[in-house]
Amino acid sequence: MSIKYLGVGMGALLLASLASADEFTVSGNAMAGFNAQAAANSNTFFGLTYSGSTFSGTSAGGFLAMGGNPNPGANLNNFGSLSLSGQSHLYNGNTFTLLLTFTTPTGIAGGGSTSFTAAVLGQVVNVSAGGVNINFGANSTHTYTFANATSTGTFTLNLNNVAINPGQTSAINGFITGTAQAVPEPSVLAGVGLGVVALVRRRIRKQPSA
């Protein structure tokens, strides 16, 4: 009986090494709209203008920062940017919705979609000297689980609030944390299984007879 447990234990160790923790890669695009506007790559509400961006990156130590320069349009490692003109306006009571679509990683566990979306609602608030804040509050964190042909795991999006002064442009940034595990190939799993069986048989043959 102890021999069988030994074989199973070694097999489990082999499987664990095959499905080791790995870094995750994300990519996608960001669009947004104010109040009832449909999310788009570019939207303006009085003197406040949103410009979308694509994004991509691979984590290091389970962490991926999204805080690139606030220049709209390109793959800039951020979630778009906001520009504020010097035009004075009362923004209090209005909303800003950021729509993020993650095309990588693909595959939602238990569902048929290959992409993840996050519609993050923020409140637009005036501050002193004509500035504006976008406050995401409790909506700033979203967690997703994926299980596709190559890996399984989770990743969590964390958005930062945005503060912008008149005449300036500010990036929408944040960070992503997560873990991923590589999915072993079926042929590798089969090989591990055969190896465990052979190991158990060898141990049994070496066991002294009663």
Side-chain angles (χ1 to χ4, degrees), residues 39 131 153 201:
R201 287 177 176 173

Side-chain angles (χ1 to χ4, degrees), residues 27-52:
S27 62
N29 62 81
M31 301 188 297
F34 299 94
N35 297 321
Q37 291 176 333
N41 192 57
S42 180
N43 262 319
T44 298
F45 180 60
F46 290 96
L48 191 58
T49 298
Y50 172 81
S51 297

Side-chain angles (χ1 to χ4, degrees), residues 22-25 105-107 146-153 179-184:
D22 200 1
E23 301 299 340
F24 59 92
T25 297
T106 59
F146 59 93
N148 53 41
T150 60
S151 59
T152 64
T179 58
Q181 287 191 329
V183 176

Side-chain angles (χ1 to χ4, degrees), residues 74-205:
N75 184 2
L76 294 167
N77 197 32
N78 61 31
F79 302 122
S81 58
L82 286 161
S83 299
L84 181 64
S85 72
Q87 177 183 359
S88 177
H89 181 75
L90 181 62
Y91 290 100
N92 290 341
N94 293 287
T95 60
F96 171 79
T97 301
L98 179 67
L99 179 64
L100 302 178
T101 301
F102 292 86
T103 55
T104 302
T106 59
I108 301 175
S113 177
T114 59
S115 62
F116 303 87
T117 59
V120 188
L121 180 66
Q123 301 296 323
V124 187
V125 180
N126 287 89
V127 293
S128 60
V132 170
N133 284 354
I134 306 292
N135 296 327
F136 294 109
N139 301 316
S140 63
T141 302
H142 293 254
T143 299
Y144 304 91
T145 300
F146 59 93
N148 53 41
T150 60
S151 59
T152 64
T154 63
F155 68 97
T156 300
L157 164 70
N158 301 270
L159 280 179
N160 296 329
N161 294 335
V162 182
I164 180 171
N165 288 324
Q168 295 186 350
T169 298
S170 180
I172 300 175
N173 52 47
F175 61 95
I176 300 172
T177 58
T179 58
Q181 287 191 329
V183 176
E185 295 288 339
S187 58
V188 175
L189 289 174
V192 170
L194 291 174
V196 171
V197 171
L199 177 62
V200 172
R201 287 177 176 173
R202 284 198 299 272
R203 296 287 186 181
I204 292 175
R205 283 197 297 268

